[in-house]
Amino acid sequence: MIKIEHLVKNYGNLSAVDDVSFEIESGEVVGLLGPNGAGKSTMMNILTGYLSATSGVVEIGGHSVLDEPLAVKKQVGYLPEQPPLYLDMTVEEYLNFTYELKGCTLNREQHLKEVCDVVKIYDVYKRLIGHLSKGYRQRVGIAQALVGNPEVIIFDEPTVGLDPKQIIEIRNLIRTLGKNHTVILSTHILQEVQAVCDRILIVNKGKIVANELTENITRAVQAGRRFNVKICGPKSEVLSALRELSGVVYAEQLAERDGEAYTYTVESASGTDVRKNLFFTMAQKGFAIVGLETLGMSLEDIFITIVDDTDKPTRQGARRGKQGVSRGDKSALEKELAKDIVRRTADGQRESALGLDSDKKEEK
């Protein structure tokens, strides 16, 4: 449905989008993530035809954004971060205005009623937009994006400023829209992406640094390979025993102390559960385990690690201190997963580029 090849957008010497290539299939819900200034909004503005690209190919539904802008805009519904609303219009007037503006040919009354039913705003249909709550205004913004029944819907921060109940309602709406539309969702709320998106694209410094299925990341972060354990015994001997334990890839003592027990962070190798072996080993040495807590890992951990690793070179001087893992350092697990995602993304882009070059040679 969406095809981007070698997309570049320069502002003078600044490259906002730097040789980006990816595809989005029909019916996919894709999360577009990245720090501020990464190039997300620029990409979305190019997709909607609001901005032109310096170079590259952008196609939606087989139509070029550059050569067939009107055909593309008929296929795209866009909700920017600030919904383009006229506060002195009623919802009815505004949606009818949008209908005319888009040159929609569907049955007007039936189509607008269907749109209102989907976003649940029919009860405020006759009210002034300026008198509506922020949540309802956001819904009206989504409604205008749906007018004309576009195949592609792009949301830029659709839940900013909403209360928890409204956020859940908008998430459910996006999930529903994904059944019949291709959806791009840009947001800083990572739980939102994990809840509704099929695939995640992470952008940093104008480049796609991660392109991964959400289920793959979720499966990895829920693997339960990291835990804190409280053990009674001499610190150096306990730590040495933990590091020598089969399947353990990382162990470090934390500053926490509970009577005679000290807390240690332990990470195991992929697919390895070391807890039973840990229990018997500590028992043989006479070290009592008085607490065990499995530590999870979130999409936020992965996102921050990927951005940090692609933002600047790893500082050679960074080390884990004797008192535990520093906040600026990343655990072995996050680093391993982040590097794996970045590597697979880079390999995929190289293969795609080779395929494109091969196709161009054949055409010649």
Side-chain angles (χ1 to χ4, degrees):
M1 175 53 67
I2 298 175
K3 184 178 182 181
I4 293 179
E5 296 177 357
H6 300 302
L7 179 64
V8 175
K9 178 61 179 179
N10 296 327
Y11 294 99
N13 294 326
L14 174 65
S15 183
V17 180
D18 186 6
D19 195 22
V20 166
S21 299
F22 63 87
E23 294 187 17
I24 298 176
E25 301 297 329
S26 179
E28 264 195 302
V29 180
V30 175
L32 189 61
L33 303 178
N36 290 329
K40 305 185 301 298
S41 294
T42 301
M43 287 185 198
M44 288 186 289
N45 285 330
I46 292 173
L47 279 169
T48 59
Y50 183 72
L51 283 178
S52 61
T54 301
S55 62
V57 174
V58 180
E59 294 182 356
I60 296 179
H63 299 284
S64 167
V65 172
L66 179 62
D67 298 329
E68 305 170 86
L70 292 180
V72 167
K73 288 175 182 178
K74 287 181 179 180
Q75 293 183 298
V76 176
Y78 180 41
L79 175 67
E81 186 174 349
Q82 297 296 329
L85 306 177
Y86 294 96
L87 303 184
D88 56 345
M89 285 185 176
T90 65
V91 175
E92 179 182 20
E93 291 169 341
Y94 177 68
L95 293 184
N96 274 278
F97 169 71
T98 304
Y99 179 96
E100 296 284 352
L101 195 64
K102 291 187 174 183
C104 188
T105 57
L106 299 170
N107 180 281
R108 183 192 298 252
E109 184 177 351
Q110 181 181 346
H111 177 56
L112 294 185
K113 184 180 184 305
E114 288 174 351
V115 169
C116 291
D117 287 342
V118 168
V119 298
K120 295 182 174 61
I121 58 171
Y122 210 74
D123 54 336
V124 296
Y125 195 55
K126 301 289 185 179
R127 290 180 58 184
L128 282 173
I129 294 174
H131 293 169
L132 300 179
S133 67
K134 183 171 178 60
Y136 269 114
R137 291 185 191 184
Q138 201 76 350
R139 288 177 178 275
V140 174
I142 294 175
Q144 65 80 26
L146 297 181
V147 171
N149 197 25
E151 295 180 59
V152 177
I153 304 172
I154 301 174
F155 294 120
D156 190 359
E157 301 287 352
T159 59
V160 166
L162 302 185
D163 64 41
K165 182 175 182 295
Q166 293 168 336
I167 289 174
I168 292 172
E169 290 173 348
I170 296 298
R171 286 180 186 175
N172 290 336
L173 173 59
I174 294 172
R175 193 181 293 112
T176 300
L177 293 174
K179 296 176 181 178
N180 301 305
H181 303 267
T182 300
V183 179
I184 297 178
L185 170 64
S186 175
T187 178
H188 285 101
I189 304 174
L190 303 186
Q191 297 92 332
E192 201 162 89
V193 172
Q194 203 163 1
V196 304
C197 295
D198 303 314
R199 186 153 55 98
I200 296 172
L201 297 175
I202 299 179
V203 185
N204 193 29
K205 292 186 175 180
K207 292 181 177 292
I208 298 291
V209 295
N211 183 351
E212 188 64 84
L213 293 175
T214 310
E215 63 179 21
N216 291 346
I217 295 179
T218 300
R219 191 182 305 117
V221 301
Q222 293 177 347
R225 289 167 48 196
R226 184 199 305 162
F227 54 89
N228 283 350
V229 57
K230 289 183 180 180
I231 304 175
C232 298
K235 293 182 290 185
S236 59
E237 293 183 36
V238 171
L239 186 57
S240 177
L242 288 173
R243 288 175 173 170
E244 292 173 0
L245 200 64
S246 176
V248 170
V249 295
Y250 168 72
E252 193 63 79
Q253 177 213 330
L254 302 181
E256 298 176 30
R257 182 175 180 178
D258 182 4
E260 297 179 0
Y262 289 89
T263 301
Y264 304 83
T265 291
V266 178
E267 288 179 15
S268 64
S270 179
T272 303
D273 188 346
V274 300
R275 289 173 296 179
K276 185 183 294 186
N277 193 15
L278 169 67
F279 174 82
F280 287 118
T281 300
M282 293 298 115
Q284 287 175 353
K285 294 180 177 293
F287 303 149
I289 297 176
V290 296
L292 183 66
E293 177 190 10
T294 301
L295 301 177
M297 182 173 59
S298 67
L299 178 58
E300 182 178 338
D301 297 326
I302 302 304
F303 171 79
I304 292 172
T305 305
I306 288 174
V307 170
D308 282 353
D309 286 354
T310 56
D311 202 27
K312 55 189 176 184
T314 302
R315 288 174 292 180
Q316 297 298 319
R319 293 289 186 272
R320 288 183 174 87
K322 292 184 178 180
Q323 296 302 314
V325 183
S326 69
R327 289 184 179 271
D329 201 4
K330 300 294 184 299
S331 77
L333 184 55
E334 280 125 345
K335 284 184 175 180
E336 177 188 337
L337 182 55
K339 286 180 179 178
D340 191 41
I341 291 172
V342 171
R343 178 185 54 76
R344 286 201 303 270
T345 301
D347 289 345
Q349 289 180 332
R350 277 194 294 269
E351 290 175 6
S352 177
L354 289 172
L356 292 173
D357 292 340
S358 176
D359 290 343
K360 288 178 180 178
K361 287 179 181 179
E362 289 179 4
E363 289 175 2
K364 290 181 180 180

